[in-house]
Amino acid sequence: MSPITKEKTNWFFACKVEDVPANGGVCVKYKNEQIALFHFARRGEWYASQNLCPHRRQMALSRGMIGAQAGEPKVACPFHKKTFSLADGRCLSDEHECAIKVYPVKLEEDRIYIGVDGGKETSAVPA
Amino acid sequence: MKIVVIGNGMVGFKFCRKLVERKVPGLELVVFGEERLPAYDRVHLSSYFDGKSAADLLLAPKSWYTDNGVRLHLGDPVHHISPGLQTVTAKSGITEPYDILVFATGSSAFVPPMPGTDQKGVFVYRTLDDLDHMKTAARKARRAAVIGGGLLGLEAAKSCLDLGIADTTIVEYAPRLMPRQIDQNGSAILQQQLETLGLKIRTNAYTTAILGDGTATGVGFEDGSSIPADMIVISAGIRPRDELAASAGLETGSRGGIVVNDRMQTTHANIYAIGECALYQHIIYGLVAPGYEMADIAIDNILGGNRTFGGFDMSTKLKLVGVDVASFGDPFPPPDSCRVIVFEDQVAGVYKRINMTGDGQYLLGGILIGDASAYNMLLQKVKNKMKITGKPEDELLGARSTGEAAAGALGLPPDAMICSCESVSKSAICQAVEDGHETFNAVKKCTGASTSCGGCAPMVKDLITYTLKSQGKYVRNVLCEHFGYSRQELFDLIKIRSLHSYDEVLDSIGHGDGCEVCKPAVSSILASLWGDMILAKGNDTAQDSNDRYLANIQKGGTYSVVPRIPGGEITPQKLMAIGRIAEKYNLYTKITGGQRIDMFGAHVGDLPLIWEELIAEGFESGHAYGKALRTVKSCVGSTWCRFGLHDSVSYAIRVEERYRGLRAPHKIKSAVSGCIRECAEAQSKDFGIIATEKGWNLYVCGNGGSKPQHALLLAADLDSETCIQYIDRFLMFYIKTADPLTRTATWLNKMEGGIDYLRNVVVKDSLGIAGELEREMQALVDSYKCEWREVVETPALRKRFTHFVDAPEEKDPSVKFEQLREQKKAVEWK
């Protein structure tokens, strides 16, 4: 399953299992944020990350291809194929690139929840 | 020291380059050249008709000379030399004093003394100017005759074919072709091969006159017979350019050539002669490799060394109209002093002969026709006087598989000369690889090997592979960590196992969970094999992102929409429909390079709506988002154009509609031109078609892009059906064998045997797969459906075209546009 859930996590309902294509992603709107949600059906795993690719600041990661590198789950941005770990968010293809924020995901029957920080504001949408 | 070089041909240039590399302090280097262009590659002259330009053939641009302090006078032959004063005077009047003078004047074509050679329509085959004259004349010529069936004559005959003169006769006075290099039986096989390609050959024919009254009409022979021809190319040998040397009082041979000693000095110690103008021990060396060796030796002696020239091996290998011909060492030693093994296959057109010492211990030389793959190994064994181990016949038949040939290359001694043109030894190549030059191009650049005739390329590649392997570095050409196969292997496996989805492929022949490299590659193979709708059967998320949304993602995250406009032909109604739809969805419009209209700035959620309207107006997907056939561009053609030979628009539409939607390792572009003016730029496409008087010429493997490359002529004067048939075979062969994301040009560049091999496969069906390729293509053509129509009509597919899964009606609020020239543009990214 996805990264460790912290104590003060707020879980919000994202969508239903059937809304997400197998082995692909969708973009979830949470307040003013865009979160990419991935269903890694081959591994029976769910991942979530910011939708913004830090390279050119494009809202695109949810449309990227997912896969694995030496077993580590990853997503490739459709713009320039920068790849990011879905486990910890670091950029796998360019060590100088910023990491992306990843979120915990949990499943209750066919309902998917994404965990966001309790109190503090999360990264803003670009201008 | 001031050195003046007369002549700027291949050998003259090599002299300059090697001298510059020595960085001699206080050196002044002046070069006079007779031709208007700086030195060019005369060995590959015929490629000028094969799509190469004069600029492609240059050995170095003019700037090279300036950058290296060489003063180059072009189009300015030297007219006078005073050895007493040590000066030369050129036609322009320029006089230059010299300390050392070097003749690199080369040779001219030998024109036998006979009547009629000064008429219109008679050519020699020697310089780019000669070729330009031939090119102009070929437009009107119907029949060509080439006088001389030697190496150059056969090249000239190939050029006549390339120029579109199908009726070409080679005339040779000896009883066989290439009498100096190959024997009677080998020549018979070569002749048979050339005849199947449509060349006519007449041996034992002593030409006595060129017929005609001011304009050539034919060739007359000693026996009173004649053949008609309106283009006559004389390639009856070369004549050393020694007239200037003779007038300056230097000794010349009775049959031409400036006499030199083994240090390349003429009878004046400070005057040297190198290359085809030099006569060493009564021999003129008419090949480039010995000329380069002479240049090296002259430089060494000029700079105080004492290297000497000891003759040179005249082995040669070339490909004539797709037929390998090679002769090495001593091709026909006296019969009583040697033992001979001959292999002859009249069906495949292969002839091989090796000559061994009487005791069967050493190779002396031999001849290879039709299959010269063993040439390099055999040549090395002759040159290095390597003892024959094992059965002698294995020398002829054993080295056929590349594995053994490579093992053989490794078995050579370290000082074996791999590239004789550039004098690069085996140890130099292996050293370069060990120093980190691990690709063929890197080794070429570092050592100079294979930069001249390219004949040693396979050996160099083998040495690179084996050196890397011996370092434990050898990497197999596999797709990625999830598949231990090359794309071609994967293609075959998927087909044999009849796998239809990415997951099935990964489960049966891969491992792990896939990635952004293997997913699109496998998806492309599945599409090329089965023609299934690409978003069906769970394959949607294995597509590259653009294929998944059937549109090209652009700056800002919006998409562009490109409907197909076959051949670039569009009705006013359809133009208005595009205008109306673009206005309704606020899209930026632009005409593309492929003669269609691109609409930018579409939100992902609008894509199905836009396409629904486009389809209702009669449009279909243009596949601009896929590694697939893009456009078939056309000129206006014979329906309107006063020059047009055929209706290029109708043919382009036919071709585009046939291959629309075809998925391939990379994008494919095409064009059809209605005449030789080539307004559709077909020669810059993956496959291009140009109308001729008699049909269509088919060019393949060109591209624009970052490394532009002209397409090469695959077949000439085809009827419309045959042309399609060849394109079917060509495209399917490419789809099946190319690496992922490899355009046709790169695919061809990597192909062993190049265009000749490809032509054998496509035109001559040398692999016996033409029928299969055609059937496979027909199946794909028959299974074509417009992908966008399916999406528009299938709610489950349509549902995926939203930005927010939890707010499907909302557009991405981060998308911003700016105004530019009355339209919108994406906001610039950081």
Side-chain angles (χ1 to χ4, degrees), chain B residues 23-98:
Chain B
K23 297 196 173 26
V24 183
L27 174 76
E28 202 182 333
L29 187 55
V30 181
V31 180
F32 288 92
E34 183 177 54
E35 291 186 56
R36 64 200 155 85
L37 288 171
Y40 53 85
D41 183 356
R42 222 184 285 275
V43 173
H44 296 105
L45 207 53
S46 58
S47 64
Y48 190 53
F49 294 147
D50 231 26
K52 284 255 171 95
S53 69
D56 292 333
L57 289 171
L58 289 191
L59 297 178
K62 274 188 183 164
S63 57
W64 180 88
Y65 298 87
T66 340
D67 294 346
N68 288 287
V70 180
R71 264 193 288 141
L72 177 65
H73 300 287
L74 286 178
D76 197 8
V78 170
H79 269 192
H80 180 73
I81 298 166
S82 327
L85 298 170
Q86 296 195 189
T87 60
V88 300
T89 305
K91 186 183 164 197
S92 63
I94 298 174
T95 297
E96 293 273 1
Y98 64 82

Coordinates of all heavy atoms in Angstrom, one line a residue, chain B residues 23-98:
Chain B
K23 N 51.5 20.1 -37.3 CA 51.8 21.4 -36.6 C 53.3 21.8 -36.8 O 54.0 22.0 -35.8 CB 51.4 21.3 -35.1 CG 49.9 21.0 -34.9 CD 49.6 21.4 -33.5 CE 48.1 21.3 -33.1 NZ 47.2 20.5 -33.9
V24 N 53.7 21.9 -38.0 CA 55.1 22.3 -38.3 C 55.2 23.8 -38.1 O 54.5 24.6 -38.7 CB 55.5 21.9 -39.7 CG1 56.9 22.3 -40.0 CG2 55.2 20.5 -40.0
P25 N 56.1 24.2 -37.2 CA 56.3 25.7 -37.0 C 56.8 26.4 -38.3 O 57.7 25.9 -39.0 CB 57.4 25.8 -35.9 CG 57.7 24.4 -35.5 CD 57.1 23.4 -36.5
G26 N 56.2 27.6 -38.5 CA 56.7 28.4 -39.7 C 56.3 27.8 -41.0 O 56.8 28.2 -42.1
L27 N 55.3 26.9 -41.0 CA 54.9 26.3 -42.3 C 53.9 27.2 -43.0 O 53.0 27.7 -42.5 CB 54.2 24.9 -42.0 CG 53.6 24.3 -43.3 CD1 54.6 23.6 -44.1 CD2 52.5 23.3 -42.9
E28 N 54.2 27.3 -44.3 CA 53.3 28.1 -45.2 C 52.8 27.1 -46.2 O 53.6 26.4 -46.9 CB 54.0 29.2 -45.9 CG 53.1 30.3 -46.3 CD 53.9 31.4 -47.0 OE1 55.1 31.6 -46.7 OE2 53.3 32.1 -47.9
L29 N 51.5 26.9 -46.4 CA 50.9 25.9 -47.3 C 50.0 26.6 -48.3 O 49.0 27.2 -47.9 CB 50.2 24.8 -46.4 CG 49.7 23.6 -47.2 CD1 50.8 22.9 -48.0 CD2 49.1 22.6 -46.2
V30 N 50.3 26.4 -49.6 CA 49.5 27.0 -50.6 C 49.0 25.9 -51.5 O 49.8 25.0 -51.9 CB 50.3 28.0 -51.4 CG1 49.4 28.7 -52.5 CG2 50.9 29.1 -50.5
V31 N 47.7 25.9 -51.9 CA 47.1 24.9 -52.7 C 46.5 25.5 -54.0 O 45.7 26.4 -53.8 CB 46.1 24.0 -52.0 CG1 45.5 22.9 -52.9 CG2 46.7 23.4 -50.7
F32 N 46.8 24.9 -55.1 CA 46.1 25.3 -56.4 C 45.2 24.2 -56.8 O 45.6 23.0 -56.9 CB 47.1 25.6 -57.5 CG 47.8 26.9 -57.3 CD1 49.0 26.9 -56.6 CD2 47.3 28.1 -57.7 CE1 49.7 28.1 -56.4 CE2 48.0 29.3 -57.5 CZ 49.2 29.3 -56.8
G33 N 43.9 24.5 -57.1 CA 43.0 23.5 -57.5 C 42.4 23.9 -58.8 O 42.0 25.1 -59.0
E34 N 42.2 23.0 -59.8 CA 41.7 23.3 -61.1 C 40.1 23.4 -61.0 O 39.5 24.2 -61.7 CB 42.1 22.2 -62.0 CG 41.7 22.4 -63.5 CD 42.2 21.3 -64.4 OE1 41.9 20.1 -64.1 OE2 42.9 21.6 -65.3
E35 N 39.5 22.6 -60.2 CA 38.0 22.5 -60.1 C 37.5 23.7 -59.3 O 38.2 24.3 -58.5 CB 37.6 21.2 -59.6 CG 37.8 20.0 -60.6 CD 37.2 18.7 -60.1 OE1 36.0 18.7 -59.9 OE2 38.0 17.7 -60.0
R36 N 36.2 23.9 -59.5 CA 35.6 25.1 -58.8 C 35.3 24.8 -57.3 O 35.2 25.6 -56.5 CB 34.3 25.5 -59.5 CG 33.2 24.5 -59.5 CD 32.2 24.6 -60.5 NE 31.6 23.3 -60.8 CZ 30.6 22.8 -60.1 NH1 30.0 23.5 -59.1 NH2 30.1 21.6 -60.4
L37 N 35.2 23.4 -57.0 CA 34.9 23.0 -55.6 C 36.2 22.6 -54.9 O 37.1 22.0 -55.6 CB 33.9 21.9 -55.6 CG 32.5 22.2 -56.0 CD1 31.7 21.0 -56.2 CD2 31.9 23.1 -55.0
P38 N 36.3 22.7 -53.6 CA 37.4 22.1 -52.9 C 37.2 20.6 -52.9 O 36.2 20.1 -53.4 CB 37.3 22.6 -51.5 CG 35.9 23.1 -51.3 CD 35.4 23.5 -52.7
A39 N 38.3 19.9 -52.5 CA 38.4 18.4 -52.6 C 37.1 17.7 -52.2 O 36.5 18.0 -51.2 CB 39.5 17.9 -51.8
Y40 N 36.6 16.8 -53.0 CA 35.4 16.0 -52.7 C 35.7 14.5 -52.9 O 36.7 14.1 -53.4 CB 34.2 16.4 -53.5 CG 34.5 16.4 -55.0 CD1 34.3 15.3 -55.8 CD2 34.8 17.6 -55.7 CE1 34.5 15.3 -57.1 CE2 35.0 17.6 -57.0 CZ 34.9 16.5 -57.8 OH 35.1 16.5 -59.1
D41 N 34.7 13.7 -52.4 CA 34.9 12.3 -52.3 C 34.6 11.7 -53.7 O 33.4 11.4 -54.0 CB 33.9 11.7 -51.3 CG 34.1 10.2 -51.1 OD1 34.8 9.6 -51.8 OD2 33.4 9.7 -50.2
R42 N 35.6 11.4 -54.4 CA 35.5 10.9 -55.8 C 35.1 9.4 -55.8 O 34.5 8.9 -56.7 CB 36.7 11.2 -56.6 CG 36.5 11.6 -58.0 CD 37.8 11.7 -58.8 NE 38.7 12.9 -58.4 CZ 38.5 14.1 -58.9 NH1 37.6 14.3 -59.8 NH2 39.3 15.1 -58.5
V43 N 35.5 8.8 -54.7 CA 35.2 7.3 -54.6 C 33.7 7.1 -54.6 O 33.2 6.1 -55.2 CB 35.8 6.7 -53.3 CG1 35.3 5.3 -53.2 CG2 37.3 6.8 -53.4
H44 N 32.9 8.0 -54.0 CA 31.5 7.8 -53.9 C 30.7 8.8 -54.9 O 29.6 9.2 -54.6 CB 31.0 8.0 -52.5 CG 31.5 7.0 -51.6 ND1 32.6 7.2 -50.7 CD2 31.3 5.7 -51.4 CE1 32.9 6.1 -50.0 NE2 32.1 5.1 -50.5
L45 N 31.4 9.1 -56.0 CA 30.8 10.0 -57.0 C 29.4 9.6 -57.4 O 28.6 10.5 -57.5 CB 31.8 10.0 -58.2 CG 31.8 11.2 -59.0 CD1 32.1 12.5 -58.2 CD2 32.9 11.1 -60.1
S46 N 29.2 8.3 -57.6 CA 27.9 7.9 -58.1 C 26.8 8.2 -57.1 O 25.6 8.3 -57.5 CB 27.9 6.5 -58.5 OG 28.2 5.7 -57.5
S47 N 27.1 8.4 -55.8 CA 26.1 8.7 -54.8 C 25.5 10.1 -55.1 O 24.4 10.4 -54.5 CB 26.6 8.6 -53.4 OG 27.6 9.6 -53.2
Y48 N 26.1 10.9 -55.9 CA 25.6 12.2 -56.4 C 24.3 12.0 -57.1 O 23.4 12.8 -57.0 CB 26.6 12.8 -57.3 CG 26.4 14.2 -57.6 CD1 26.2 15.2 -56.7 CD2 26.4 14.6 -59.0 CE1 26.0 16.5 -57.0 CE2 26.2 16.0 -59.3 CZ 26.0 16.9 -58.3 OH 25.8 18.2 -58.7
F49 N 24.1 10.9 -57.8 CA 22.9 10.6 -58.5 C 21.9 9.8 -57.6 O 20.8 9.5 -57.9 CB 23.1 9.7 -59.7 CG 23.9 10.5 -60.8 CD1 24.8 9.8 -61.6 CD2 23.7 11.8 -60.9 CE1 25.5 10.5 -62.6 CE2 24.5 12.5 -61.9 CZ 25.3 11.8 -62.7
D50 N 22.4 9.5 -56.4 CA 21.6 8.7 -55.5 C 21.0 9.6 -54.4 O 20.5 9.1 -53.4 CB 22.6 7.7 -54.8 CG 22.1 6.3 -54.9 OD1 21.4 6.0 -55.8 OD2 22.5 5.5 -54.0
G51 N 21.1 10.9 -54.6 CA 20.5 11.8 -53.6 C 21.5 12.6 -52.8 O 21.2 13.6 -52.2
K52 N 22.8 12.3 -52.9 CA 23.8 13.1 -52.2 C 24.1 14.4 -53.0 O 24.1 14.4 -54.2 CB 25.1 12.3 -52.1 CG 25.1 11.3 -51.0 CD 25.9 11.7 -49.8 CE 25.7 10.7 -48.6 NZ 26.7 9.7 -48.5
S53 N 24.3 15.5 -52.3 CA 24.6 16.8 -52.9 C 26.1 16.9 -53.0 O 26.9 16.2 -52.4 CB 24.0 17.9 -52.2 OG 24.7 18.1 -51.0
A54 N 26.6 17.9 -53.8 CA 28.0 18.2 -53.9 C 28.5 18.5 -52.5 O 29.6 18.1 -52.1 CB 28.2 19.4 -54.8
A55 N 27.7 19.3 -51.7 CA 28.2 19.6 -50.4 C 28.4 18.4 -49.5 O 29.3 18.3 -48.7 CB 27.2 20.6 -49.7
D56 N 27.5 17.4 -49.7 CA 27.7 16.2 -48.9 C 29.0 15.5 -49.2 O 29.5 14.8 -48.4 CB 26.6 15.1 -49.3 CG 25.2 15.6 -48.8 OD1 25.1 16.4 -47.8 OD2 24.2 15.2 -49.5
L57 N 29.4 15.6 -50.4 CA 30.6 14.9 -50.9 C 31.9 15.6 -50.5 O 33.0 15.0 -50.6 CB 30.5 14.7 -52.4 CG 29.5 13.6 -52.9 CD1 29.4 13.7 -54.4 CD2 29.8 12.2 -52.4
L58 N 31.8 16.9 -50.1 CA 33.1 17.6 -49.8 C 33.8 16.9 -48.7 O 33.2 16.5 -47.7 CB 32.8 19.0 -49.4 CG 32.3 20.0 -50.5 CD1 32.3 21.4 -49.9 CD2 33.1 19.9 -51.7
L59 N 35.2 16.8 -48.8 CA 35.9 16.2 -47.7 C 36.1 17.2 -46.5 O 36.2 16.8 -45.4 CB 37.3 15.9 -48.2 CG 37.3 14.8 -49.3 CD1 38.7 14.5 -49.8 CD2 36.7 13.5 -48.9
A60 N 36.1 18.5 -46.8 CA 36.1 19.5 -45.8 C 35.5 20.8 -46.4 O 35.8 21.0 -47.6 CB 37.5 19.7 -45.3
P61 N 34.8 21.6 -45.6 CA 34.3 22.8 -46.2 C 35.4 23.8 -46.4 O 36.5 23.6 -45.9 CB 33.4 23.3 -45.1 CG 33.9 22.7 -43.8 CD 34.5 21.4 -44.2
K62 N 35.2 24.9 -47.2 CA 36.2 25.9 -47.5 C 36.8 26.4 -46.2 O 38.0 26.8 -46.1 CB 35.6 27.0 -48.3 CG 35.6 26.7 -49.8 CD 35.2 28.0 -50.6 CE 35.2 27.6 -52.1 NZ 34.5 28.7 -52.8
S63 N 35.9 26.6 -45.2 CA 36.4 27.2 -43.9 C 37.5 26.4 -43.3 O 38.4 26.9 -42.6 CB 35.2 27.3 -42.9 OG 34.7 26.0 -42.7
W64 N 37.6 25.0 -43.6 CA 38.7 24.2 -43.0 C 40.0 24.8 -43.4 O 40.9 24.9 -42.6 CB 38.5 22.8 -43.5 CG 39.6 21.9 -42.9 CD1 39.5 21.2 -41.7 CD2 40.9 21.6 -43.5 NE1 40.7 20.5 -41.5 CE2 41.6 20.8 -42.6 CE3 41.5 22.0 -44.6 CZ2 42.8 20.3 -42.8 CZ3 42.8 21.6 -44.9 CH2 43.5 20.7 -44.0
Y65 N 40.1 25.2 -44.7 CA 41.4 25.6 -45.2 C 41.8 26.9 -44.5 O 42.9 27.1 -44.1 CB 41.3 25.8 -46.7 CG 41.0 24.5 -47.5 CD1 39.7 24.1 -47.7 CD2 42.0 23.7 -47.9 CE1 39.4 22.9 -48.3 CE2 41.8 22.5 -48.6 CZ 40.4 22.1 -48.8 OH 40.2 20.9 -49.4
T66 N 40.8 27.9 -44.5 CA 41.1 29.2 -43.8 C 41.5 28.9 -42.3 O 42.4 29.5 -41.9 CB 39.8 30.1 -43.9 OG1 39.0 29.6 -44.9 CG2 40.2 31.5 -44.1
D67 N 40.7 28.1 -41.7 CA 40.9 27.9 -40.2 C 42.3 27.3 -40.0 O 42.8 27.5 -38.9 CB 39.8 26.9 -39.6 CG 38.4 27.5 -39.7 OD1 38.4 28.8 -39.9 OD2 37.5 26.8 -39.5
N68 N 42.8 26.6 -40.9 CA 44.1 25.9 -40.7 C 45.2 26.6 -41.4 O 46.3 26.0 -41.6 CB 44.0 24.4 -41.1 CG 43.2 23.7 -40.1 OD1 43.6 23.4 -39.0 ND2 41.9 23.3 -40.5
G69 N 45.0 27.8 -41.9 CA 46.0 28.6 -42.5 C 46.5 28.1 -43.8 O 47.6 28.4 -44.2
V70 N 45.6 27.4 -44.5 CA 46.0 26.9 -45.9 C 45.4 27.9 -46.9 O 44.2 28.2 -46.9 CB 45.4 25.5 -46.1 CG1 45.8 25.0 -47.5 CG2 45.9 24.5 -45.0
R71 N 46.3 28.4 -47.8 CA 45.8 29.3 -48.8 C 45.3 28.5 -50.0 O 46.1 27.8 -50.6 CB 46.9 30.3 -49.2 CG 46.7 31.6 -48.5 CD 47.6 32.7 -49.1 NE 49.0 32.5 -48.8 CZ 49.9 32.7 -49.7 NH1 49.6 33.1 -50.9 NH2 51.2 32.4 -49.3
L72 N 44.1 28.5 -50.3 CA 43.5 27.7 -51.3 C 43.1 28.5 -52.5 O 42.2 29.4 -52.4 CB 42.3 26.9 -50.8 CG 41.5 26.0 -51.7 CD1 42.4 24.8 -52.2 CD2 40.3 25.4 -51.1
H73 N 43.6 28.3 -53.7 CA 43.2 28.9 -54.9 C 42.4 27.9 -55.8 O 43.0 27.0 -56.3 CB 44.4 29.4 -55.8 CG 45.3 30.3 -55.0 ND1 45.0 31.6 -54.8 CD2 46.5 30.1 -54.5 CE1 46.0 32.2 -54.1 NE2 46.9 31.3 -53.9
L74 N 41.1 28.2 -55.9 CA 40.3 27.2 -56.6 C 40.0 27.8 -58.0 O 40.0 29.0 -58.3 CB 38.9 27.0 -55.9 CG 39.0 26.1 -54.6 CD1 37.6 26.0 -54.0 CD2 39.6 24.7 -55.0
G75 N 39.7 26.9 -58.9 CA 39.4 27.2 -60.3 C 40.6 27.9 -60.9 O 40.5 28.7 -61.8
D76 N 41.8 27.6 -60.4 CA 43.0 28.3 -60.9 C 44.1 27.3 -61.1 O 45.0 27.2 -60.2 CB 43.3 29.4 -59.8 CG 44.3 30.4 -60.4 OD1 44.6 30.4 -61.6 OD2 44.8 31.3 -59.6
P77 N 44.2 26.6 -62.2 CA 45.2 25.6 -62.4 C 46.6 26.3 -62.6 O 46.7 27.4 -63.1 CB 44.8 24.9 -63.7 CG 43.9 25.9 -64.4 CD 43.2 26.7 -63.3
V78 N 47.6 25.6 -62.2 CA 49.0 26.1 -62.4 C 49.3 25.9 -63.9 O 49.1 24.8 -64.4 CB 50.0 25.3 -61.5 CG1 51.4 25.7 -61.9 CG2 49.7 25.7 -60.0
H79 N 49.9 26.9 -64.5 CA 50.2 26.9 -65.9 C 51.7 26.7 -66.2 O 52.1 26.2 -67.2 CB 49.7 28.1 -66.6 CG 48.4 28.0 -67.2 ND1 47.8 28.8 -68.0 CD2 47.4 27.0 -66.9 CE1 46.5 28.4 -68.3 NE2 46.3 27.3 -67.7
H80 N 52.5 27.2 -65.2 CA 54.0 27.2 -65.5 C 54.7 27.0 -64.2 O 54.4 27.5 -63.1 CB 54.4 28.5 -66.1 CG 55.8 28.6 -66.5 ND1 56.4 27.9 -67.5 CD2 56.8 29.2 -65.8 CE1 57.7 28.1 -67.5 NE2 58.0 28.9 -66.5
I81 N 55.8 26.2 -64.3 CA 56.7 26.0 -63.2 C 58.2 26.3 -63.6 O 58.6 25.9 -64.7 CB 56.7 24.5 -62.7 CG1 55.3 24.1 -62.3 CG2 57.7 24.2 -61.6 CD1 55.1 22.7 -62.2
S82 N 58.9 27.0 -62.8 CA 60.3 27.2 -63.0 C 61.1 26.5 -61.9 O 61.2 27.1 -60.8 CB 60.8 28.6 -63.1 OG 59.8 29.5 -63.6
P83 N 61.6 25.3 -62.1 CA 62.3 24.6 -61.1 C 63.6 25.4 -60.7 O 64.0 25.3 -59.5 CB 62.7 23.3 -61.7 CG 61.7 23.1 -62.9 CD 61.4 24.5 -63.3
G84 N 64.1 26.1 -61.6 CA 65.3 26.9 -61.3 C 65.0 28.0 -60.3 O 65.7 28.2 -59.3
L85 N 64.0 28.8 -60.6 CA 63.6 29.9 -59.7 C 62.8 29.4 -58.5 O 62.6 30.2 -57.6 CB 62.8 30.9 -60.4 CG 63.5 31.6 -61.6 CD1 62.4 32.4 -62.4 CD2 64.6 32.5 -61.1
Q86 N 62.4 28.2 -58.6 CA 61.5 27.6 -57.5 C 60.2 28.4 -57.4 O 59.8 28.9 -56.3 CB 62.2 27.4 -56.2 CG 63.3 26.4 -56.3 CD 63.8 25.9 -54.9 OE1 64.8 25.3 -54.9 NE2 63.1 26.3 -53.9
T87 N 59.5 28.7 -58.5 CA 58.2 29.4 -58.5 C 57.2 28.6 -59.4 O 57.6 27.9 -60.3 CB 58.3 30.8 -59.1 OG1 58.8 30.7 -60.4 CG2 59.2 31.7 -58.3
V88 N 55.9 28.8 -59.0 CA 54.9 28.3 -59.9 C 54.0 29.5 -60.3 O 53.9 30.5 -59.5 CB 54.0 27.3 -59.2 CG1 54.8 26.0 -58.8 CG2 53.2 27.8 -58.1
T89 N 53.4 29.5 -61.5 CA 52.5 30.6 -61.9 C 51.2 30.0 -62.4 O 51.2 29.0 -63.1 CB 53.2 31.4 -63.1 OG1 54.5 31.8 -62.7 CG2 52.3 32.6 -63.5
A90 N 50.1 30.5 -61.8 CA 48.8 30.0 -62.1 C 48.2 30.7 -63.3 O 48.7 31.8 -63.7 CB 47.9 30.0 -60.9
K91 N 47.1 30.2 -63.8 CA 46.3 30.8 -64.9 C 46.0 32.2 -64.6 O 46.1 33.1 -65.5 CB 45.1 30.0 -65.1 CG 44.2 30.3 -66.3 CD 43.0 29.5 -66.3 CE 41.9 30.0 -67.2 NZ 40.6 29.5 -67.0
S92 N 45.6 32.5 -63.3 CA 45.2 33.9 -63.0 C 46.4 34.8 -63.0 O 46.2 36.0 -62.9 CB 44.6 33.9 -61.6 OG 45.6 33.4 -60.7
G93 N 47.6 34.3 -63.1 CA 48.8 35.2 -63.0 C 49.5 35.2 -61.7 O 50.6 35.7 -61.5
I94 N 48.8 34.6 -60.7 CA 49.5 34.5 -59.3 C 50.8 33.7 -59.5 O 50.8 32.6 -60.0 CB 48.5 33.8 -58.3 CG1 47.3 34.6 -58.1 CG2 49.3 33.6 -57.0 CD1 46.2 33.9 -57.3
T95 N 51.8 34.2 -58.9 CA 53.1 33.5 -58.9 C 53.5 33.3 -57.4 O 53.4 34.2 -56.6 CB 54.2 34.3 -59.6 OG1 53.8 34.4 -61.0 CG2 55.5 33.5 -59.5
E96 N 53.8 32.0 -57.1 CA 54.2 31.7 -55.7 C 55.5 31.0 -55.7 O 55.7 30.0 -56.4 CB 53.1 30.7 -55.1 CG 51.8 31.3 -54.9 CD 51.6 32.0 -53.5 OE1 52.6 32.1 -52.8 OE2 50.5 32.4 -53.3
P97 N 56.5 31.5 -54.9 CA 57.7 30.8 -54.7 C 57.5 29.6 -53.8 O 56.5 29.5 -53.1 CB 58.6 31.8 -54.1 CG 57.7 32.7 -53.4 CD 56.4 32.7 -54.1
Y98 N 58.3 28.5 -53.9 CA 58.2 27.4 -53.0 C 59.5 26.9 -52.6 O 60.5 27.1 -53.2 CB 57.4 26.2 -53.8 CG 58.1 25.7 -55.0 CD1 59.2 24.7 -54.8 CD2 57.8 26.1 -56.3 CE1 59.8 24.2 -55.9 CE2 58.5 25.6 -57.4 CZ 59.5 24.6 -57.2 OH 60.1 24.1 -58.3

